[in-house]
Amino acid sequence: PISVKCETLANLSFRWFHGYVTSEEANSRLESKPYGSYLVRLSTTSPGKPYTLSILTSRTHIDHRRISY
C-alpha cells in the first residue's frame, strides 16, 4: 500500500481527482472524452511520487505523468 498524506483526502471532493486508479482504468475513463480531458489519480506504482496526471493528448493517446511536489 502507498502511504498518502492526510491532505490527499481533501482532494476526493474534486471531479478531476479519481483516487486509486490504474493507468488502464484511467485510459478507460478518458478514451471517450474530448481532447485535452484529464484526471489526477494516486499512483499505484510509485510511492515516492503519489500523484499521476493522465491526459488525453490526442484522439488515440493518453499520457501519464508523475506529479512531484
Side-chain angles (χ1 to χ4, degrees):
I2 297 171
S3 174
V4 179
K5 295 181 179 182
C6 292
E7 65 263 18
T8 297
L9 298 177
N11 293 338
L12 294 176
S13 63
F14 294 107
R15 291 183 355 181
W16 46 261
F17 186 74
H18 288 244
Y20 284 104
V21 174
T22 64
S23 58
E24 292 81 11
E25 180 62 26
N27 290 349
S28 176
R29 292 181 184 193
L30 290 170
E31 66 187 3
S32 64
K33 302 293 184 193
Y35 167 76
S37 295
Y38 67 92
L39 61 85
V40 175
R41 59 192 176 86
L42 292 171
S43 174
T44 57
T45 59
S46 293
K49 296 181 180 177
Y51 296 101
T52 300
L53 171 67
S54 299
I55 184 167
L56 184 62
T57 57
S58 73
R59 293 312 294 147
T60 59
H61 183 74
I62 298 170
D63 195 24
H64 303 279
R65 299 288 178 160
R66 298 287 187 273
I67 299 173
S68 297
Y69 62 95

